[in-house]
Structures are given as structure tokens and as C-alpha cells.
Amino acid sequence: MRQEWEPEDLIEVWTLEEDQERLRNKSGANRLGFALLLKFFEVEARFPEDAGEIPVPAVSYVAQQVKVPGEEWAAYDWSGRAIKRHRTEIRGAFGFRECTKEDQAQLAEWLAVELCGVELNRDRLAEAVVARCRNDRLEPPTPGRIARLVGSAVSTFEERFCAATVGRLSAATRSRLDDLIAEETGTDAESAGGGGTFFTELKADPGALGLDSLLAEVNKLQRVRALELPPELFGDVSEKLVAAWRARAAKEYPSDLRAAAGPVRCTLLSTLCHVRETEITDSLVELFIQLVQKINTRAEKKVEGEFNKELKRVRGKEGILLRLAEAAIAEPGGTVRKVIYPVAGESTLKALAAEAAANEARYRARVRTVLRSSYSNHWRRMLSPLLNARSGTTRGKRSYRKQGSAHEGTRDARGIPRRRRGLSRPRGTPGRRASPSLRRRQLPCAGSPISAHRLVSSI
């Protein structure tokens, strides 16, 4: 309860009106103590833990009403028979009853079933217990007991969550998860994080932008999929809960996970791999886009450098442009034929325009040539693994993604809509020639040249 009260608030909350009838047979410290407990319970729906919880302004104001000196509050007995009678009388006045052990067990079960899966903050769970007690007209337990009740409910929920998760995993998947943190043989001591195990690689972010980083991420994604986690493993739990367990698993060392109980270890590793599969897929998309931009930027810079060198070897062009500028400035009102042609004839201007147009066309053609060369010599290696990774994503979608409805049809490995099987053959299959529009949409197969804009269009 807050300790600072304005006079208006004191009058509104702490005024004894019809409550004066209950004070007739009480006097001295018991009279003041009963009045303060009564008004405190009316506001908080619980009794104070000690005298310090009652605001000093409220003590003075209530003491004036019951005509007892405020100093008597310090003499009130918090452990005698009088306070027990007072509490019983106040509960009866408001229709409340004491919270028994059976009530606390029911509250813990309610938390474990209804709230622990969606609310991870223990302070808010404690507030929910107090609110539930108020609604059920129960005197809430003490804060210490509520904290223990919340801890018991969280432990119960986690046991059930881990048991449900393990029950959905096959024996082979559980074995593969344990292999992630298996202690390496041939080493005297295990380094922090598990040495060179895949568990450490799984938690790491992609390296510097480059083809090696992309291929490493593709390999990481394939190894995660090889665990064969069920698509609906966490379909009935909140994303907040899965994210919390994933963060918890990321902080653990392999040795800590090996020491944990089997259900807890499998659940931690499952949540980590489940979330990391999505994160790795997203990072692959970002890496792919950045690599395509890198290819295009490098090609343009290379061609620009070549063309700049060629422009420096052209003789007389700078002088012609200088004389044209001087003539135009000297006679800004003159006509082109009278001012410009005497400096550079019509044939010279046509030649300059033709040369500029030819250079622009050569520039675009040269950029395409460099792109094809770069892709053929180096970047082609990334396309086949990416296509395989994407086809794996199409075959098995995780529970956090909405499944398409039946009337939407299916999609092939390139993401192109396909009609329902058995009704008609998709375009581009043997026996039917693909239309030009479809051929433009298809991703190029490994071994064929590709340009940056086609890579971007195929994403």
C-alpha cells in the first residue's frame, strides 16, 4: 500500500461510517487496531504483514475518529488472541474466509494449467493469485507463501511441458539431440561451449559476407533438418514460452546440458533447434540478397574503372567541350548554327553523340559479361545448395507458419503454383512445352549463366 495520502483521499478511503457499530465493545489499542485492520482489508482484501504497512497519515486520521491516541497503535498485539478474533470478525464482515492448504493446492494447479504457459513473469503470476483470491473471496496467503505457491506451479508446468515435448520425439530424434552435446573423444578437457561440437556452431551467427558463409549456413540448416523434429512439436504452446526456453538453452554449456535431467535436456535442445531452423532460413535469404548485390556492385565498379581509363585515352574531347562552353557563354542569345557550329561542326557533334550512345550500350553489355563470368567462375556453387534447402522448406513447413488451404493448390520447388495432382500436368514438365513467361520465372539450373537481376527476380 502507498504511504503518501492526500487529505481528500484519506477522507474517501479511511473514513469510518457504518463501521462505528463494530467498535462499541473495543477500547484502547484494540479499538484502534481493529479499525485500521478493517479499513486496510477493505482496500487491499488482505491483512497487513506488520504495523509498518499502515500509512502514518491513515493512523492519525483513524485515531481521531475512534478517539484513541495514535501512540496506542504501537501497543497493538500482533500475536495475541485479540488479533485472531479481529481477523475472524473482519473476514466475516466482508464474506471472506481463510485460504486453506486445499485452496493453495487448487491455486497452484490453476496457475500451472492456465497461466504458466503464457505468463513467464513470476511477479505477475503472484498478482494473478491475489486477484483470484479476491474474486473467490479468499484471504490471500502471505507474500512468502504466494512466492512458494508460484514456484511450485512453475515447476509443475515445466515438468508437464518437458514430458509432453519428449513424448512427441521419436527415439532416433532424441538420440540425435543427445549427440549434439556428446563429449568429444581424444581431448583431455572440454573447452567452454563444447569445443568444436555442432552445438557451438548451431548457436553462432553467420560469418562475414561471402560464399563460404552462405554454404556454411546451408550446411547448418541441413544438419538441423536431419534431426527430424516433428513439424507440430510446439504447435500448442505460446511463442513466448518457446523463445524463453531457446534463450535458456543458448546460455548453457554442453556439460551443463549433459548433467540436466533427460526431459529437460531434450526440451532445451528441441526449442533451440526449432527456433534456429527459422533463424538460419531467414539469414540465408539475407545472405543471398546481399551476395547478389555484391556481385552487381563489383561488376559495375570493374566496368566503370575500365571505361574511365578508355575515356582518358580519347584525344581532343575535353578541348571541344571547353570551346563549346566558352562559345555558349559568350553569346547566350545566339542560335546553335551561328554560335556552336563554327566551334564544332554538325558532323563533329553527331560523332560525339554516337560515341556517347555506343559507350552506354557497351557499358551495359560489359556489366552483363562480367556478371556472367563472376557467376560461372565462383558464385554458381551457391545456387544448387540453395535450391535444395528451399525444396526442403517447401516439403516440411513448421508449425509456426500457416498452412495453405486445400483450394490453393501446392507449389513446386521453385515456389510456382501447381494445380492439384491428377487433374492436369504443371507447365514445364516433359510432354508439354513451357511458355516463355514460365521460362522467364524459372530459376536457372547449375551450369547455366545468370545475371544479378535474374537472381533477384527469382527470390
Side-chain angles (χ1 to χ4, degrees):
M1 173 177 284
R2 60 192 175 99
Q3 297 296 309
E4 302 295 332
W5 288 76
E6 297 295 332
E8 297 81 4
D9 297 334
L10 282 173
I11 295 173
E12 181 180 356
V13 176
W14 293 90
T15 299
L16 296 167
E17 296 175 352
E18 62 272 7
D19 301 321
Q20 294 282 356
E21 193 69 25
R22 299 189 178 93
L23 301 174
R24 286 186 175 181
N25 59 344
K26 300 174 181 64
S27 61
N30 287 341
R31 181 180 178 88
L32 177 59
F34 179 88
L36 289 171
L37 292 182
L38 179 69
K39 299 307 292 185
F40 186 95
F41 194 94
E42 182 180 347
V43 176
E44 297 287 325
R46 64 177 180 87
F47 291 111
E49 290 295 306
D50 51 48
E53 278 199 75
I54 306 292
V56 175
V59 174
S60 301
Y61 179 64
V62 173
Q64 293 175 6
Q65 297 181 71
V66 299
K67 296 180 176 58
V68 175
E71 294 78 9
E72 292 290 331
W73 174 235
Y76 187 67
D77 187 2
W78 285 80
S79 58
R81 291 179 296 178
I83 192 172
K84 294 180 180 179
R85 291 196 307 269
H86 292 172
R87 288 183 173 183
T88 301
E89 185 177 348
I90 292 171
R91 290 191 204 100
F94 291 102
F96 277 66
R97 62 180 179 86
E98 262 189 295
C99 187
T100 63
K101 291 184 178 179
E102 291 76 12
D103 294 325
Q104 294 181 31
Q106 292 177 4
L107 286 171
E109 180 66 17
W110 170 71
L111 284 178
V113 174
E114 299 292 339
L115 294 184
C116 288
V118 294
E119 181 54 68
L120 308 181
N121 187 294
R122 296 201 176 195
D123 291 337
R124 293 178 181 173
L125 291 175
E127 293 173 0
V129 171
V130 174
R132 177 65 182 266
C133 288
R134 182 191 294 267
N135 184 69
D136 293 345
R137 308 194 77 77
L138 289 172
E139 178 192 350
T142 62
R145 290 183 178 179
I146 290 179
R148 291 191 294 271
L149 184 151
V150 170
S152 174
V154 171
S155 298
T156 300
F157 169 79
E158 290 184 348
E159 290 177 3
R160 295 173 181 174
F161 174 58
C162 292
T165 301
V166 173
R168 295 173 180 176
L169 300 175
S170 65
T173 298
R174 293 197 297 269
S175 177
R176 297 187 190 104
L177 289 173
D178 287 336
D179 290 341
L180 290 176
I181 55 171
E183 190 171 4
E184 293 181 343
T185 58
T187 56
D188 297 330
E190 180 184 339
S191 61
T197 62
F198 177 59
F199 179 74
T200 305
E201 300 174 11
L202 179 62
K203 297 188 294 182
D205 293 328
L209 179 63
L211 180 58
D212 292 337
S213 296
L214 184 140
L215 295 178
E217 289 299 295
V218 171
N219 178 61
K220 190 186 301 183
L221 180 61
Q222 292 173 343
R223 294 181 68 177
V224 172
R225 287 177 179 166
L227 298 174
E228 297 183 352
L229 294 175
E232 299 297 331
L233 181 59
F234 300 111
D236 57 348
V237 298
S238 67
E239 294 182 2
K240 183 191 298 185
L241 177 66
V242 176
W245 279 73
R246 176 251 188 270
R248 176 178 166 186
K251 297 177 182 178
E252 300 287 345
Y253 293 134
S255 57
D256 298 328
L257 291 171
R258 286 195 295 268
V264 175
R265 179 174 63 251
C266 283
T267 303
L268 287 170
L269 293 173
S270 297
T271 52
L272 176 65
C273 295
H274 179 86
V275 177
R276 283 297 290 153
E277 180 174 354
T278 305
E279 294 173 349
I280 294 171
T281 302
D282 294 341
S283 68
L284 277 175
V285 174
E286 294 178 2
L287 281 173
F288 180 68
I289 294 175
Q290 292 173 5
L291 284 174
V292 170
Q293 294 174 344
K294 184 177 181 180
I295 296 172
N296 189 68
T297 302
R298 281 187 173 181
E300 290 181 349
K301 287 184 177 179
K302 182 177 181 180
V303 174
E304 286 175 0
E306 294 175 354
F307 272 60
N308 287 335
K309 292 180 180 178
E310 293 180 2
L311 287 175
K312 291 179 181 179
R313 290 196 298 267
V314 177
R315 296 181 179 180
K317 182 183 297 183
E318 290 81 1
I320 295 173
L321 293 176
L322 176 61
R323 291 195 297 273
L324 287 174
E326 291 175 345
I329 293 172
E331 295 187 39
T335 62
V336 173
R337 187 172 298 278
K338 291 182 179 180
V339 177
I340 301 299
Y341 277 7
V343 177
E346 184 177 356
S347 59
T348 302
L349 294 175
K350 288 181 178 180
L352 287 173
E355 181 183 354
N359 286 341
E360 181 65 24
R362 285 175 54 209
Y363 175 81
R364 290 195 296 265
R366 180 59 180 160
V367 169
R368 287 195 297 269
T369 301
V370 173
L371 283 171
R372 286 196 297 269
S373 176
S374 177
Y375 169 74
S376 301
N377 295 334
H378 186 55
W379 303 105
R380 181 183 296 164
R381 292 167 48 200
M382 74 179 175
L383 191 57
S384 180
L386 274 177
L387 287 175
N388 293 335
R390 186 180 181 189
S391 63
T393 303
T394 306
R395 286 193 300 270
K397 294 183 179 179
R398 292 301 179 196
S399 58
Y400 51 81
R401 296 186 179 181
K402 296 182 179 179
Q403 300 292 338
S405 56
H407 67 274
E408 290 177 345
T410 60
R411 291 177 178 264
D412 63 9
R414 294 181 298 269
I416 301 174
R418 178 186 298 168
R419 298 181 183 179
R420 294 170 59 184
R421 190 181 303 276
L423 296 181
S424 64
R425 181 164 38 200
R427 295 182 298 173
T429 55
R432 183 170 183 176
R433 186 177 181 181
S435 65
S437 60
L438 177 62
R439 290 197 297 271
R440 284 195 297 270
R441 293 178 59 186
Q442 292 175 339
L443 282 172
C445 299
S448 63
I450 186 172
S451 61
H453 75 275
R454 291 184 62 194
L455 281 172
V456 176
S457 300
S458 65
I459 298 176

